[in-house]
Amino acid sequence: MHKRFTRTALVALVVTSALIAAPLADGSAAQAAGVPVGNIGKFKQNYLESFSTAAAANGPFAKTYANSWQPYPDGMGNGQYWSGSQISATGGMMDIALSGTRGAAGTFGTKNGAWSFVGGKFTVRARAVGGDTNGAAFILWPTSNNWTEGEIDYPEANYETSPMLHQHSMIAGKEDTATSVSTRVSWRDWHTYSVEWIPGKSVRYLLDDRVIATVTKDVPKTPHRYMFQTGNWGKAGHLYIDWITTYTYQP
């Protein structure tokens, strides 16, 4: 899979979800240093990583976080992705170096448990510094790699623009169209982005624990993985991930 978050028409495609400003209404979670701990209703927490152990790039990060992060092999994507050299942990954050020549990509979770989400909640707290004309995509992608099974992107956009959500069509031949909504915030500030996916029924998108969109069409119902990609172009900078957590869906 190869994301196209550099497309100029990021305002995209087919906008059918209205923005709404409302607090998260169902469930609650205890907070430990700002990181959610515990189940939220039918969403059962199965993964939490806050990158508290410092680890350098080029080997130590991959070893330290082997049960949390499954990177693309270095050189994948015709030489685009080099997670080994670009990713470290420092200051309690995952630090993705944006060099303009090497991108990074991979899947969050354990080696055995990262590939089988059928529904769930997925939350990341992130910000970017620099990296103009580059961008990132946090993605729920079919484990089968069959695009017609649905793709959910949030947040996704170039770093000099506002992060967006894109929920792609599941109609064969029309997968590159999507329901798309802007967050109207900046990558330059810390924000928390959440996806709440109920298989075959709905996907809710939250920004800082407030619902900004609910989509009820093109809702996946097969196993997906939660991952991100950033490109190998643009200006130098950093994508920082403060913490990330996932939940299974148990109706």
Side-chain angles (χ1 to χ4, degrees):
M1 188 205 28
H2 190 71
K3 277 304 296 175
R4 299 169 305 284
F5 50 78
T6 56
R7 56 183 180 259
T8 57
L10 266 177
V11 287
L13 303 184
V14 183
V15 179
T16 61
S17 296
L19 286 174
I20 42 182
L24 179 62
D26 56 337
S28 61
Q31 297 290 314
V35 182
V37 178
N39 300 330
I40 303 175
K42 295 179 180 180
F43 298 113
K44 311 302 181 182
Q45 192 172 40
N46 71 333
Y47 167 84
L48 171 62
E49 184 56 70
S50 58
F51 306 104
S52 58
T53 301
N58 294 307
F61 181 88
K63 182 177 180 180
T64 301
Y65 293 97
N67 288 323
S68 298
W69 168 246
Q70 313 308 319
Y72 282 20
D74 282 349
M76 189 173 175
N78 294 319
Q80 178 173 344
Y81 299 115
W82 297 90
S83 297
S85 65
Q86 303 309 111
I87 299 179
S88 62
T90 182
M93 297 178 291
M94 185 179 187
D95 180 356
I96 301 95
L98 309 171
S99 67
T101 58
R102 287 189 167 191
T107 298
F108 295 104
T110 65
K111 291 181 179 179
N112 295 324
W115 320 100
S116 57
F117 287 99
V118 182
K121 182 180 174 83
F122 309 85
T123 302
V124 61
R125 185 171 187 259
R127 71 182 289 255
V129 175
D132 286 13
T133 73
N134 197 344
F138 289 78
I139 310 162
L140 279 162
W141 178 257
T143 299
S144 67
N145 290 321
N146 181 352
W147 200 7
T148 61
E149 293 181 14
E151 175 185 354
I152 296 168
D153 307 326
Y154 181 63
E156 177 187 2
N158 286 13
Y159 297 124
E160 72 275 16
T161 66
S162 292
M164 296 188 69
L165 66 89
H166 302 288
Q167 189 160 325
H168 286 256
S169 172
M170 296 172 65
I171 298 173
K174 296 185 177 181
E175 298 94 337
D176 59 349
T177 64
T179 298
S180 301
V181 177
S182 175
T183 61
R184 303 178 184 176
V185 298
S186 173
W187 277 108
R188 307 314 183 192
D189 302 316
W190 285 110
H191 289 288
T192 300
Y193 306 90
S194 297
V195 173
E196 294 182 346
W197 164 32
I198 298 178
K201 294 184 178 180
S202 65
V203 180
R204 292 205 314 175
Y205 297 87
L206 297 90
L207 175 70
D208 299 327
D209 291 333
R210 295 177 68 87
V211 178
I212 62 169
T214 301
V215 181
T216 56
K217 71 172 187 176
D218 298 314
V219 178
K221 53 186 178 181
T222 59
H224 280 54
R225 61 184 184 266
Y226 185 52
M227 55 176 293
F228 91 92
Q229 299 175 338
T230 192
N232 62 338
W233 53 82
K235 295 183 179 180
H238 294 266
L239 173 63
Y240 295 114
I241 297 175
D242 185 15
W243 51 262
I244 191 161
T245 184
T246 66
Y247 305 73
T248 61
Y249 175 67
Q250 297 181 22

